[in-house]
Amino acid sequence: MGFWSDKSVAVAIGGGIAAYKTLELLRLLREEGARVVVIATEAALQFVTPLTLQALSGQPVRSNLFSPCEADGMDHIRLAQEVDWLVVAPATADILARMAGGHGDDLLTTVLLARRGPVLLAPAMNPAMWAHPATQRNVAQLQADGIALVGPEYGPVACGDHGQGRMAEAAHILEGGRRQLSPKPWQGRHVLITAGPTQEDLDPVRYLSNRSSGRMGWAVCQAALRAGAEVTLIHGPVALPVPRGANAIAVQSAQQMYDATMQVWENRAYHAPHLSAAILTAAVADFRPANRQMTKIKKGTAAAVIPPLTLVQNPDILATLAARANQMAQDGQSPPIVVGFAAETGTDADAAESVRVLAREKQARKGCDLLVVNNVLAPGCGFGSLTNQVTILHRSGHEETWPLLSKEEVGERLLDHLANLFV
Ligand code: PMT
């Protein structure tokens, strides 16, 4: 019996040209034995006909919230509650906006509001629409609400543009569903994640910081939550909503991040479940001003008197945790896995190799089990981007380079990768 053969699935279709690809999803689901019901928005039916959808799903298409015959068979509340899986493909910019705003003005949005089980969105739109701040704000809100996304993928889109916006392929969407409905590999495990930048005060109005948006750490956090982990997220100042279900601790400076992290680490054995991994994605300031001024540093009236900036080193959170974990291993205990991220800057022709060498040195210095390396100067990588391209360095010498992926996919792959180390 195949994975889908005892599953009921609602496939919701939004009004976008990618709706034609959803036909293949319907075909695959039926071929694998799933019971499928299609919910189509009015706009979706401009792209695919009810007849085609009915032929492929084996059931009349539902699109009208107020149709008596549709309510009779399965009203929106029952529809939302009875299916094992609900996938929205394509999820248009408009659907994302209405979901993020909690609207319930058609059959699809009322079903989504009433839904308690797993939902997967497969966004598809023009790359400029996907990158628009309003869309990204809505995506961040949906992810914070615990909604999973697959894609959008890179490549040519229907209007002739090229970029991130293509709906994920049907097989990829099904894989996402299988992952959502499968037993959770991180159930019963606790993960500590650091994310975002730190800010080091010069005076009450100025600080030193860096360009981290927190997206990478958020993606790892959301992947961990979806995989069933309990998550403590220690983060610097970011403009992202806290993921639902995460135990978030907001800090500002590197010293505060260090203190909060050490407190979680010290309590790891008393916390149920015990800490299994620490994944440090935060861009922690290596230095802070030696003397924080209690009042604003004045420009002064004398010409060009520039106050000197003296810096002192911040504690290294990753190196400290790695040293503690290594000590535990030497004492015969089984320590949490300690994972760092390395932001390297390679510009030469052989940037991938030079970055890898720098990161290997960093890993030896810090002593962590795994180091996830990104060249933050590579296109689509690093600070603030929606995507990232990473190489995973294991202490054992094993290495894996992943393609350019959305940060969500990097997070998901990383969690899968680490879960395999537990078995
Ligand atoms: O937040 P985004 O905009 O999505 O950007 C993502 C990212 C580029 C910030 C992320 O992918 C990343 O590379 N994070 C690590 C940034 C960093 O500080 O790199 P580093 O090479 O300077 O530090 C290596 C490791 O040591 C990191 O795990 C860091 O958290 C840790 N560290 C650094 C200094 C310090 N005092 N304490 C630390 O624990």
Side-chain angles (χ1 to χ4, degrees), residues 212-214 216 280-282 315 317-318 341 343 362 366 374 384 407:
S212 172
S213 63
M216 191 63 251
L280 307 190
T281 74
I317 304 167
L318 179 61
F341 269 61
K362 188 173 282 180
K366 301 223 182 197
N374 42 192
K407 283 185 174 166

Side-chain angles (χ1 to χ4, degrees), residues 19-48:
Y20 81 91
K21 288 167 80 175
T22 311
L23 304 181
E24 172 66 359
L25 178 66
L26 292 174
R27 193 190 65 73
L28 283 176
L29 279 165
R30 287 296 301 285
E31 192 176 275
E32 299 213 13
R35 274 173 295 120
V36 180
V37 57
V38 171
I39 303 169
T41 62
E42 289 291 324
L45 297 178
Q46 301 293 320
F47 292 90
V48 282

Side-chain angles (χ1 to χ4, degrees), residues 42 62-72 75-76 104-108 110:
E42 289 291 324
R62 285 149 216 273
S63 65
N64 190 340
L65 182 57
F66 302 109
S67 159
C69 58
E70 289 177 18
D72 181 46
D75 64 46
H76 62 275
D105 50 5
D106 64 1
L107 182 64
L108 171 57
T110 46

Side-chain angles (χ1 to χ4, degrees), residues 118-298:
V119 174
L120 185 66
L121 306 181
M125 65 199 74
N126 173 275
M129 291 170 72
W130 174 250
H132 193 283
T135 306
Q136 287 306 311
R137 210 168 41 241
N138 293 330
V139 168
Q141 183 59 58
L142 290 167
Q143 288 174 328
D145 291 345
I147 304 282
L149 277 78
V150 55
E153 293 175 353
Y154 260 89
V157 290
C159 57
D161 279 359
H162 197 280
Q164 194 181 7
R166 284 169 65 86
M167 188 167 93
E169 296 305 322
H172 200 171
I173 297 174
L174 275 193
E175 183 49 41
R178 195 173 288 125
R179 180 198 294 273
Q180 280 187 303
L181 301 182
S182 298
K184 307 279 182 241
W186 285 79
Q187 201 87 49
R189 295 188 182 276
H190 176 206
V191 186
L192 163 63
I193 295 168
T194 67
T198 63
Q199 293 176 351
E200 312 299 320
D201 283 349
L202 278 160
D203 67 19
V205 297
R206 305 179 182 96
Y207 55 78
L208 301 177
S209 189
N210 59 64
R211 301 176 196 283
S212 172
S213 63
R215 281 183 195 282
M216 191 63 251
W218 251 238
V220 172
C221 174
Q222 281 150 350
L225 289 167
R226 279 198 296 277
E230 185 173 319
V231 180
T232 301
L233 173 67
I234 301 173
H235 65 88
V238 293
L240 298 170
V242 170
R244 192 171 73 173
N247 169 28
I249 303 171
V251 297
Q252 185 190 347
S253 65
Q255 184 64 52
Q256 288 169 359
M257 188 172 275
Y258 177 90
D259 292 342
T261 305
M262 293 312 142
Q263 204 167 358
V264 174
W265 181 272
E266 295 305 336
N267 287 331
R268 71 191 181 282
Y270 309 109
H271 189 287
H274 294 181
L275 192 67
S276 293
I279 307 175
L280 307 190
T281 74
V284 186
D286 288 315
F287 308 103
R288 67 175 183 274
N291 297 303
R292 179 193 190 276
Q293 301 300 312
M294 299 317 283
T295 55
K296 185 180 174 190
I297 302 168
K298 296 292 181 199

